């Protein structure tokens, strides 16, 4: 049976935790795509329902306007829906929000062509709009010479004036003239009878560039034809004909431009759709808007119903709103309620969806607002009258409702992911803590099984767990067991060798002694002396190995006793000064008693090995320093000499058995590296520690022994 390891488990768990948010995000993204498709189908259904209410109802559409072969901008006028009534004061402040809808009239609209005509001579901007039952008109005229109507003159045409031509609902053609005497309130005159016509009211205001005219008259007096003309009479050229710049030819009723006023009947039908959550337009086949309802800034559709932000009621909702949402919305984007969607000419709607609808096919399209803050969905459906497409219904919505729904879904998804990640993190923390604690226990057991000198002092209790850590503990236990056996073999090697070599060495020594008793030639005597010397060296080696073995055996059987360390060290140093008269010693031994528990003969043997080692490595005529001081509850014994430095990396192993740093030139006597090993054995017996390091000057070595004192 295959067994997953720890690494495989971590990898699988990490992949799972990584896939969870990704899969959730992909699911919500796919859900948003389906919601957008559903919104698109719903919006097309809305346009279809409204278009069905307008099918086969020709009375709702202006016959002469809707069936024109071609609509010409500038000639055919569109009365825009105004948000508020216009105050007739000539200041044009009420028209500022509609400035993008002004139409510019220049020399192309002169009734007589004049290639030398300049815009400063005569030009104007014009717009008409509808509010309630009135039609408003604006004329912002540029005229280099303003000529008022004289106060005592009966003529109304020998001055700058405005002509109005229109057809009444019953088909009668009427013309009117606005001829101001001065700035201020003005009324119209009937162009034929010169009788004042008070239903047409306005305000005339001169400007630095010319003048402004604001007009108002009831829609009830207007049919489907309307035209305006600005007549410029200059006093400097009295014999020239006045210049006439017009929207259309006012002399012939058939040449008048059409005027489209939003249909009140269709507006009443659209009013019932005001709560559909969409902005709705009805246009004729010339793309001209007949009616409009709703605002795009509130056109979220039915998708945003019930998703309005509510005040948090529980502690979790407060925590989510105050802490989680600011974090989430560093990634998510909130739908913008304020965005720019100004249509430069709502009189002539455009778009691929409208073009298809006017060909008889329902269609929809997506577009981004100019400020890139919102996405708008537009759907169009054709309106049929007698098997002909007479217009189309257009409905528009933003994707803010879908995006809000998506954000709500992602908020809940993130909450779930956060909870899962938190639970997973806590689980992994405890899982990792358990694993790390097992590893630490294995580490501590391994460190306790082998001391700083590399000796095996214990065993490892292995685990029966069926994983990598269990395998590792069993491997460690096996390694420590094998290493302990090998270390024991090495430690007992000296005693075995000394025991096995004593008999053959004694045989060789006795044989050499017998040979030396016989007369020998000079050459034979030479070889016998060499053999005797070699046997003596071999005997010293065996003695050294036996000394270490005896010390180990003595340590195992010796009973500790109290003694004064200061007396032991002082007595030994007096003996060394007599034994080595040519060697200089510098002593710094405290004079107070240093009580210890142990074996004084072992301490003497320890000092003997340190002094012998210092003498062998010390430079000639350089003193050996010996110091003994008390430091709290321990006695510090130091032995230093001037000579070769310790090799790099050997300071930790210099007290091991069979380790020697002597060069071939220094080995005049046999050495097995057991001297400092004996020092370590004595320190272990007394629970002391010993270290060796180069001195601060870098010209010698210092051995430091820390011995615990009895309180």
């Amino acid at each position: 049976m295959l067994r997953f390891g720890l690494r495989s488990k971590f990898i699988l768990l990490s992949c799972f935790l990584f896939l969870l948010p990704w899969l959730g995000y992909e699911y919500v993204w796919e859900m948003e795509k389906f919601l957008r498709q559903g919104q698109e189908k719903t919006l097309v259904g809305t346009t279809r329902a409204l278009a069905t209410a307008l099918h086969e109802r020709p009375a709702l559409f202006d016959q002469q306007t809707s069936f024109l072969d071609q609509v010409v901008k500038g000639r055919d006028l569109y009365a825009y829906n105004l948000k508020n009534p216009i105050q007739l004061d000539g200041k044009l402040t009420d028209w500022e929000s509609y400035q993008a809808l002004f139409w510019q009239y220049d020399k192309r609209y002169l009734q007589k062509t004049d290639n030398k005509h300049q815009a400063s001579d005569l030009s104007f901007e014009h717009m008409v709009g509808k509010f309630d039952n009135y039609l408003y008109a604006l004329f912002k005229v540029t005229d280099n010479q303003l000529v008022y109507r004289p106060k005592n003159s009966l003529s109304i045409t020998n001055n700058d004036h405005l002509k109005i031509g229109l057809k009444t609902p019953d088909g009668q053609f009427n013309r009117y003239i606005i001829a101001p005497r001065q700035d201020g309130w003005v009324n119209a005159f009937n162009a034929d009878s010169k009788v004042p016509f008070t239903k047409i009211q306005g305000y005339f205001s001169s400007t630095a560039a010319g003048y402004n005219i604001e007009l108002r008259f009831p829609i009830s007096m207007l049919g489907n034809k309307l035209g305006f003309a600005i007549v410029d009479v200059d006093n400097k050229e009295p014999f020239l004909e006045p210049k006439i710049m017009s929207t259309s030819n006012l002399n012939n009723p058939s040449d008048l431009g059409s005027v489209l006023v939003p249909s009140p009947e269709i507006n009443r039908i659209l009013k019932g759709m005001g709560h559909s959550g969409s902005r709705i337009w009805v246009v004729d086949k010339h793309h001209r808007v007949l009616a409009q309802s709703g605002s795009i800034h509130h056109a979220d559709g039915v998708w945003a119903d019930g998703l309005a932000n509510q005040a948090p009621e529980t502690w979790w909702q407060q925590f989510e709103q105050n802490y989680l949402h600011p974090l989430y919305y560093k990634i998510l984007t909130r739908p913008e309620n304020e965005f720019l969607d100004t249509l430069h000419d709502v009189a002539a709607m455009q778009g691929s969806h409208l073009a298809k609808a006017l060909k008889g096919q329902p269609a929809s399209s997506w577009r981004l607002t100019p400020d890139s803050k919102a996405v708008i969905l537009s759907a169009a459906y054709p309106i049929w009258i007698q098997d002909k497409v007479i217009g189309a219904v257009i409905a528009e919505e933003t994707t803010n409702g879908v995006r809000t729904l998506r954000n709500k879904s992602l908020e809940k998804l993130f909450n779930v992911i956060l909870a899962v990640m938190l639970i997973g993190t806590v689980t992994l923390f405890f899982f990792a803590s358990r694993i790390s604690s097992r590893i630490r226990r294995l580490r501590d057991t391994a460190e306790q099984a082998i001391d700083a000198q590399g000796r095996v002092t214990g065993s490892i209790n292995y685990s029966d767990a069926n994983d990598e850590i269990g395998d590792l503990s069993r491997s460690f236990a096996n390694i420590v067991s094998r290493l302990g056996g090998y270390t024991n073999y090495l430690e007992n090697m000296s005693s075995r060798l000394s025991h096995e070599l004593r008999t053959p060495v004694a045989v060789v020594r006795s044989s050499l002694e017998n040979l030396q008793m016989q007369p020998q030639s000079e050459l034979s005597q030479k070889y016998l002396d060499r053999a005797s010397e070699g046997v003596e060296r071999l005997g010293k080696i065996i003695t050294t190995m036996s000394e270490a073995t005896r010390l180990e055996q003595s340590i195992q059987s010796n009973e500790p006793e109290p003694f004064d360390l200061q007396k032991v060290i002082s007595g030994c140093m007096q003996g060394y000064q007599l034994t080595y008269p040519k060697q200089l010693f510098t002593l710094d031994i405290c004079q107070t008693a240093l009580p210890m528990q142990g074996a004084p003969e072992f301490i003497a043997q320890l000092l003997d090995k340190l002094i012998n080692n210092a003498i062998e490595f010390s430079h000639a005529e350089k003193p050996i320093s010996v110091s003994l001081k008390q430091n709290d509850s321990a006695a510090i014994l130091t032995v230093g000499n001037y000579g070769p430095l310790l090799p790099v990396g050997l300071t930790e192993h210099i007290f091991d058995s069979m380790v020697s740093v002597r060069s071939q030139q220094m080995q005049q006597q046999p050495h097995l590296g057991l001297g400092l090993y004996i020092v370590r054995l004595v320190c272990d017996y007394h629970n002391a520690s010993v270290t060796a390091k180069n001195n601060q000057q870098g010209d010698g070595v210092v051995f430091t022994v820390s011995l615990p004192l009895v309180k």
Side-chain angles (χ1 to χ4, degrees), residues 464-699:
D464 294 330
N466 194 24
D467 57 13
E468 281 83 352
I469 298 179
D471 289 342
L472 185 62
S473 66
R474 290 188 289 272
S475 297
F476 273 19
N478 187 24
I479 291 172
V480 170
S481 176
R482 288 155 59 186
L483 183 60
Y486 182 67
T487 303
N488 184 60
Y489 170 76
L490 292 178
E491 291 177 347
N492 295 326
M493 183 183 292
S494 61
S495 62
R496 292 177 182 175
L497 286 176
S498 63
H499 176 74
E500 295 296 332
L501 291 176
R502 283 185 182 278
T503 300
V505 168
V507 172
V508 173
R509 180 182 290 113
S510 63
S511 299
L512 290 175
E513 290 176 352
N514 291 331
L515 285 175
Q516 286 180 346
M517 295 176 62
Q518 302 295 326
Q520 300 290 334
S521 62
E522 182 178 355
L523 182 60
S524 298
Q525 187 63 40
K526 179 180 179 181
Y527 289 131
L528 284 174
D529 293 340
R530 288 183 180 179
S532 298
E533 182 181 353
V535 170
E536 290 297 326
R537 291 173 62 88
L538 187 58
K540 290 182 179 181
I541 293 174
I542 294 173
T543 301
T544 303
M545 290 190 297
S546 299
E547 182 182 9
T549 303
R550 286 195 304 272
L551 180 61
E552 291 177 348
Q553 294 174 353
S554 299
I555 287 175
Q556 294 175 0
S557 60
N558 187 75
E559 291 294 333
E561 61 182 53
F563 66 94
D564 186 357
L565 178 64
Q566 192 272 341
K567 290 183 178 180
V568 174
I569 299 300
S570 298
C572 289
M573 290 309 303
Q574 293 176 3
Y576 296 141
Q577 288 176 331
L578 296 175
T579 305
Y580 305 103
K582 296 182 180 180
Q583 178 63 52
L584 297 177
F585 291 93
T586 58
L587 304 180
D588 183 12
I589 300 176
C590 66
Q591 299 303 316
T592 59
L594 301 174
M596 275 192 63
Q597 189 79 10
E601 64 274 14
F602 291 168
I603 296 297
Q605 197 169 3
L606 175 146
L607 185 59
D608 182 57
K609 296 303 179 184
L610 292 178
I611 294 297
N612 286 336
N613 184 79
I615 292 174
E616 291 182 9
F617 285 93
S618 179
H619 292 320
E621 300 180 356
K622 290 287 186 178
I624 294 175
S625 61
V626 178
S627 170
L628 179 63
K629 295 181 180 180
Q630 183 177 0
N631 183 12
D632 294 334
S633 61
I636 307 300
L637 172 65
T638 60
V639 177
N641 67 278
Y642 296 93
L645 302 179
L646 292 175
V648 178
L650 199 61
T651 56
E652 296 294 332
H653 303 284
I654 197 172
F655 298 98
D656 293 347
S657 178
M658 300 296 198
V659 176
S660 177
V661 296
R662 291 171 175 81
S663 62
Q664 288 294 111
Q665 293 79 5
M666 298 180 63
Q667 291 200 18
Q668 298 178 1
Q669 297 295 328
H671 291 280
L672 295 178
L674 295 174
L676 296 180
Y677 173 65
I678 292 174
V679 173
R680 194 196 74 187
L681 292 177
V682 175
C683 288
D684 291 345
Y685 174 75
H686 290 90
N687 295 323
S689 62
V690 59
T691 59
K693 62 181 180 178
N694 299 321
N695 60 22
Q696 295 180 353
Q697 294 77 17
D699 56 0

Side-chain angles (χ1 to χ4, degrees), residues 226-267:
L226 178 65
F228 299 97
I230 298 293
V231 181
D232 181 24
V233 177
D234 291 338
N235 290 333
K236 295 180 181 179
E237 300 174 349
F239 301 105
L240 295 178
E241 291 185 5
K243 291 183 178 181
I244 301 176
M245 185 175 291
S246 60
T247 61
S248 58
N249 185 9
L250 273 61
N251 296 323
N252 188 352
S254 60
D255 293 337
L256 286 177
S258 64
V259 58
L260 180 62
V261 177
S263 172
E265 292 80 4
I266 299 179
N267 272 330

Side-chain angles (χ1 to χ4, degrees), residues 42-55 362 380-382 393:
T42 302
L43 197 60
V44 172
T46 299
T47 59
R48 179 179 181 179
L50 185 55
T52 301
L54 301 177
H55 286 332
Y381 201 90
V393 176

